[in-house]
Amino acid sequence: MPSTSYRGHGDLLVYYGSGQLPALAASRRVVLQPDHYTTGEIAALTAQGVSSLAYLSVGEDTGPMAPWQLAGKNPVWGGSYVDVAHPGWHEHLRRQAEAALAAGFTGLLLDTLETPPILGGHRRAALAVVRELRAVVAGGYMLANRGHALLADLAPLVDGFLFEAFSTTWEDGYRALRGRELLDNAARLPGLRATGRELFVLDYANRPELADFAVSRGANLEVPVQVTNRDVTGLPG
């Protein structure tokens, strides 16, 4: 059964598990791992009025060794950082996006927009990738996870922002963010709202009181909050 730590809202559900079509159908839009669902399952969600977005990692690659991979790896998830300017990486991302759209997905969630190579001076290359993906998606929906360092140039290319770990995190154990962290995140809201794009929050909890804190803070700041687990496989009860 879903944990009482999980919370949701009807506009967006981020879920990296598999199956659970009845639960997914309760949302207007869902973010899914594209290889976890068949074309028929995506069609079933579409028939129920659900728009499905495919997860796509822009700054990290979890696949086999490839020319665009750098020596550094994400110390938590193990994916390789990439040279976001590498033509092969651009083509790889385009193929993934095209395959997702062909399978019935109506857009993308762009993740890992703030990996060390991008923040270390590859912002132009990262934005070039996003422009190419925008051309592939065309009128479909693109949601950016964080990407605060790219905000001014990123906003015209996407339709919405996902603010991950806005009030709570799983890092260093599930916990509420500390005072300065909370203030810094709240200070980002005016800039995000000024873009005119949709804004959603994804927080993390392993106990009801932590989830309640995230949802209550989101309500006070007028942002919709989903609370899930570290693996993003929690579903609201």
Side-chain angles (χ1 to χ4, degrees):
M1 295 294 292
S3 167
T4 55
S5 297
Y6 306 146
R7 304 287 190 272
H9 56 86
D11 290 330
L12 180 74
L13 178 68
V14 185
Y15 180 68
Y16 296 161
S18 59
Q20 304 294 336
L21 295 187
L24 298 179
S27 297
R28 177 170 67 96
R29 183 178 289 121
V30 294
V31 176
L32 308 172
Q33 294 285 346
D35 57 348
H36 289 184
Y37 291 87
T38 66
T39 300
E41 288 173 322
I42 298 301
L45 289 173
T46 302
Q48 296 179 78
V50 181
S51 174
S52 300
L53 308 182
Y55 173 94
L56 188 63
S57 174
V58 173
E60 298 174 20
D61 183 16
T62 58
M65 290 183 62
W68 51 78
Q69 292 178 358
L70 302 174
K73 290 182 178 292
N74 183 308
V76 176
W77 301 110
S80 297
Y81 298 132
V82 301
D83 174 1
V84 288
H86 196 289
W89 180 239
H90 285 223
E91 178 60 26
H92 181 70
L93 292 178
R94 279 197 302 271
R95 287 199 304 266
Q96 286 184 294
E98 289 166 352
L101 295 177
F105 286 87
T106 57
L108 304 171
L109 166 69
L110 306 183
D111 196 18
T112 63
L113 287 165
E114 294 180 317
T115 64
I118 291 173
L119 296 180
H122 292 77
R123 55 179 293 130
R124 287 188 179 180
L127 290 165
V129 168
V130 177
R131 290 189 189 94
E132 291 181 26
L133 294 172
R134 176 82 268 176
V136 172
V137 172
Y141 193 95
M142 286 217 310
L143 183 67
N145 186 14
R146 297 179 68 89
H148 301 308
L150 308 173
L151 181 62
D153 296 309
L154 183 61
L157 302 173
V158 301
D159 301 285
F161 287 95
L162 180 67
F163 200 141
E164 187 179 8
F166 179 69
S167 299
T168 64
T169 181
W170 52 261
E171 295 189 59
D172 304 320
Y174 288 92
R175 62 174 177 86
L177 297 184
R178 301 180 180 92
R180 174 49 59 184
E181 295 169 313
L182 293 171
L183 289 172
D184 287 347
N185 283 350
R188 295 185 187 277
L189 291 182
L192 286 164
R193 289 193 170 112
T195 67
R197 303 304 189 247
E198 288 191 285
L199 176 60
F200 307 96
V201 163
L202 183 67
D203 274 323
Y204 299 93
N206 65 344
R207 53 193 185 276
E209 62 271 22
L210 187 59
D212 289 343
F213 167 73
V215 172
S216 176
R217 183 166 181 265
N220 288 338
L221 294 171
E222 300 182 329
V223 288
V225 177
Q226 177 190 344
V227 183
T228 186
N229 57 19
R230 177 183 186 272
D231 297 320
V232 196
T233 55
L235 290 170

